[in-house]
Amino acid sequence: MSNFFIALGRSMIGSLRDLLPIVLVIAFFQIVVLHQPVPDLVGLLTGLLCVVAGLTFFVYGLEMGLFPIGEVLANAFARKGSLLWLLVFAFCLGFGTTVAEPALIAVAAEAAAVAAQGGMIEASDAAQKSYAAGLRYTVAFAVGLAIVVGVIRILKGWPIHYMIAIGYLLVVIMTGLAPREIIGIAYDSGGVTTSTITVPLVTALGVGLASSIEGRNPMIDGFGLVAFASLTPMIFVMAYGMVI
Amino acid sequence: METLSQLFTILLATIKDVLPIMAIIFGFQLLVIRRPVPNLKRVLFGFVYVVIGLALFLLGLDKALFPIGRLMAQQLTDPSFIRGGAGGALHWGDYYWVYIFAFAIGASTTIAEPSLIAVALKANEVSGGAIGVLGLRLAVAFGVAIGISLGTWRIITGYPLHWFIIPGYIFVVIQTFFAPKLIVPLAYDSGGVTTSTVTVPLVAALGLGLASTVPGRSPLIDGFGLIAFASLFPMMTVMGYAQITEMLAARDKRRRECDDKLNEE
């Protein structure tokens, strides 16, 4: 039982450290620069408490359940030698971790609200929900595909920068074709996808794979999956904007 | 009471969000690997915590992070704050507090980011000490700060986002050919890694708030893009940092060789 509290406490210190710089900067600006009372201070503080508690439980739960089993699976598939299953697993890992990413859920909802205000979609609740869900599944699909491509790269030992350059070229071409309203959301979705859940699991897969294949260097070949995962969503979200 | 019912709704939605990932993990473990899940009870409890934590986080997001971002954007762009009540059209230079705020938020949140510290330690170890932990962290933090700061400037001036991002990509691709090979994948990854779960919603709200309060800007077209900036610039600064350390190391080595030669003579 005491172990539980120690682990929970450690996780809480981590989330407090995430939040503290933000609180300090904002407090400094409110007090020194703006000289304005914060409206609804109690509500804000309650919200911040929720954020800290939420992140604490979230990270604690991840470390307890998801990460160990994810790493075991990633290593098992890296060693198993069946290419098809490895790729299927890679796709599912990318897709599954992205769908549940908190930052993506938040930004997709915000994007839907803005799109409704801007008259891009209907202002109804249902239309906004389906737009946000569509956005999330598009991004998740793109991340799944990115992990598959990244895994193939690790297996073949292709140099990363050519592939990234090609990806950028695709982004540039899509930017020319996509409607203006989607471009900002699309560019942002690249950075949004890769945070709390995705990065540790995907890095585990990459480094595990690179260390179990002979002739691959974990430093050169193991990293880079996250880079793919932040590139493809841009392309696919712009495609989503063209279809809708 | 209202908060409680809201929490309940979010809790239900969260369970739906977490289900696919559970299905994937258990499906693969039981059907493909065909081994029972190790520590099943622990894993299940872990998922319960994940759901509770995610629901609380999303609630807090709605109650705190989004409002704060919007509030800061609104207060910092308020003409009476900028001009002290004087009239006249505002120039983009008048919004300097916005850029300073953006820089401070970008730098402070990144320097404390745990995943970045972990990556920096790993890179230090793999590079045999050539890449310093603090140096790498500063390089990334500086990149994020510059990125967000420049991003707010773009929102205020209203230039199209891709005018910045596409040249940025071209610069990254060119820089790749000159940067030390070892750092390249790490630099590419650092772009995505740095934007944490707390920072992303706050920065997104800041951008949307700016676009809705600065006259003549549309949230839909101008409001997004800050996160794209924040993921682009660390790539440049990390590669730049590696280039500079390599250059300094090479110069040191040359100088030492010169000294050695002089000593021999």
Side-chain angles (χ1 to χ4, degrees):
Chain A
M1 204 60 203
S2 70
N3 273 345
F4 167 80
F5 284 110
I6 291 169
L8 203 63
R10 200 176 299 139
S11 159
M12 185 143 136
I13 289 170
S15 40
L16 274 177
R17 200 171 42 190
D18 252 7
L19 205 62
L20 191 67
I22 296 181
V23 172
L24 286 181
V25 168
I26 287 172
F28 173 81
F29 269 78
Q30 288 292 342
I31 296 164
V32 178
V33 180
L34 289 159
H35 310 289
Q36 270 172 26
V38 182
D40 191 23
L41 190 61
V42 179
L44 284 186
L45 289 180
T46 326
L48 282 181
L49 274 182
C50 282
V51 169
V52 171
L55 269 185
T56 303
F57 279 113
F58 183 69
V59 172
Y60 179 71
L62 282 183
E63 276 167 6
M64 193 165 145
L66 198 58
F67 287 165
I69 191 172
E71 270 166 41
V72 168
L73 272 179
N75 283 328
F77 275 104
R79 297 234 168 73
K80 204 167 181 243
S82 158
L83 180 66
L84 179 71
W85 277 118
L86 176 64
L87 293 183
V88 172
F89 176 70
F91 180 83
C92 289
L93 189 72
F95 187 89
T97 52
T98 309
V99 162
E101 189 71 60
L104 180 64
I105 298 174
V107 170
E110 196 78 340
V114 172
Q117 274 166 28
M120 219 165 97
I121 54 170
E122 275 176 58
S124 71
D125 237 24
Q128 281 189 34
K129 274 219 177 84
S130 88
Y131 182 82
L135 209 56
R136 269 171 54 204
Y137 284 115
T138 309
V139 173
F141 179 80
V143 173
L145 205 66
I147 306 297
V148 169
V149 174
V151 163
I152 296 176
R153 177 192 84 89
I154 294 176
L155 294 176
K156 300 271 179 198
W158 290 333
I160 186 170
H161 46 275
Y162 293 119
M163 305 183 71
I164 296 287
I166 293 169
Y168 284 163
L169 197 67
L170 283 177
V171 171
V172 172
I173 295 170
M174 288 300 284
T175 308
L177 302 174
R180 240 183 114 197
E181 293 80 19
I182 200 79
I183 290 175
I185 301 172
Y187 280 15
D188 270 3
S189 63
V192 168
T193 49
T194 45
S195 33
T196 323
I197 315 182
T198 318
V199 171
L201 280 183
V202 162
T203 311
L205 179 68
V207 174
L209 207 55
S211 6
S212 66
I213 299 173
E214 223 171 297
R216 297 280 175 279
N217 175 343
M219 181 75 189
I220 292 184
D221 301 301
F223 287 93
L225 284 178
V226 176
F228 283 112
S230 28
L231 184 62
T232 50
M234 297 194 228
I235 300 167
F236 279 84
V237 170
M238 283 193 262
Y240 177 69
M242 283 159 73
V243 171
I244 241 187
Chain B
M1 210 52 231
E2 196 192 326
T3 313
L4 269 184
S5 78
Q6 202 182 345
L7 183 64
F8 189 69
T9 326
I10 294 176
L11 205 60
L12 280 184
T14 314
I15 292 173
K16 229 167 58 189
D17 289 333
V18 177
L19 270 182
I21 189 167
M22 275 186 84
I24 287 166
I25 297 268
F26 283 105
F28 274 101
Q29 184 76 31
L30 298 176
L31 300 177
V32 183
I33 301 275
R34 289 197 199 152
R35 244 177 264 152
V37 180
N39 296 325
L40 181 64
K41 215 172 125 193
R42 222 178 123 77
V43 171
L44 286 180
F45 267 113
F47 271 109
V48 171
Y49 286 126
V50 165
V51 169
I52 295 173
L54 194 55
L56 276 175
F57 174 76
L58 290 175
L59 182 71
L61 205 68
D62 237 25
K63 293 244 172 282
L65 289 182
F66 277 145
I68 287 177
R70 241 176 262 136
L71 180 77
M72 289 305 292
Q74 193 200 338
Q75 290 184 342
L76 286 170
T77 54
D78 188 359
S80 66
F81 162 68
I82 293 172
R83 276 287 159 83
L90 285 166
H91 187 242
W92 61 260
D94 296 332
Y95 291 102
Y96 58 92
W97 276 117
V98 175
Y99 316 135
I100 297 173
F101 177 70
F103 192 94
I105 279 285
S108 63
T109 55
T110 313
I111 201 94
E113 174 71 31
S115 64
L116 176 63
I117 297 171
V119 168
L121 285 171
K122 185 101 201 144
N124 181 24
E125 183 192 308
V126 175
S127 67
I131 299 166
V133 175
L134 187 67
L136 189 68
R137 277 170 67 191
L138 285 177
V140 176
F142 186 65
V144 172
I146 290 279
I148 298 183
S149 203
L150 197 66
T152 52
W153 178 76
R154 180 202 72 87
I155 291 175
I156 286 167
T157 51
Y159 290 119
L161 179 61
H162 51 271
W163 285 13
F164 295 85
I165 301 292
I166 291 173
Y169 285 160
I170 296 171
F171 188 86
V172 167
V173 169
I174 295 172
Q175 200 183 6
T176 304
F177 289 98
F178 296 98
K181 285 282 153 297
L182 207 62
I183 198 80
V184 170
L186 185 71
Y188 282 176
D189 272 5
S190 68
V193 171
T194 49
T195 39
S196 82
T197 316
V198 182
T199 318
V200 165
L202 184 81
V203 167
L206 179 73
L208 289 171
L210 279 179
S212 44
T213 48
V214 174
R217 298 289 159 266
S218 127
L220 192 56
I221 293 175
D222 303 302
F224 292 93
L226 284 183
I227 297 158
F229 272 91
S231 348
L232 175 65
F233 279 79
M235 295 196 231
M236 298 182 198
T237 49
V238 168
M239 281 195 276
Y241 168 71
Q243 279 173 298
I244 290 169
T245 32
E246 198 187 46
M247 234 161 60
L248 289 179
R251 210 182 58 186
D252 265 11
K253 204 174 151 203
R254 260 204 314 275
R255 196 176 289 159
R256 224 173 296 132
E257 276 165 8
C258 268
D259 287 351
D260 286 351
K261 241 179 239 157
L262 283 174
N263 288 342
E264 276 164 28
E265 285 165 17

